[in-house]
Amino acid sequence: MPQLIPTPWFTVLIFSWFILLTLIPPKVLTHTFTNMPTPQNKKEQETKPWDWPWY
């Protein structure tokens, strides 16, 4: 049963995790958004307390 021999599969696992952890995070972290959201109203909204009629 060749599946039980860990020699080639362990090496493939190690190299694939190495590639995953060294190449992909820098690419994801350097991503910049082209359209940054801007607030429509700079005025603070007034908040009013909500009076609930308790019966």
Side-chain angles (χ1 to χ4, degrees), residues 1-41:
M1 295 177 72
Q3 291 91 350
L4 296 177
I5 303 172
T7 304
W9 304 113
F10 185 70
T11 306
V12 168
L13 175 77
I14 294 299
F15 278 124
S16 63
W17 271 104
F18 178 74
I19 290 171
L20 178 77
L21 292 176
T22 57
L23 295 179
I24 296 188
K27 287 185 176 287
V28 171
L29 290 174
T30 58
H31 177 74
T32 59
F33 293 102
T34 55
N35 295 327
M36 294 302 289
T38 58
Q40 295 295 322
N41 294 332

Side-chain angles (χ1 to χ4, degrees), residues 32-53:
T32 59
F33 293 102
T34 55
N35 295 327
M36 294 302 289
T38 58
Q40 295 295 322
N41 294 332
K42 297 193 183 246
K43 185 177 94 174
E44 293 280 332
Q45 294 183 355
E46 289 184 25
T47 58
K48 297 179 181 174
W50 183 30
D51 295 329
W52 185 266

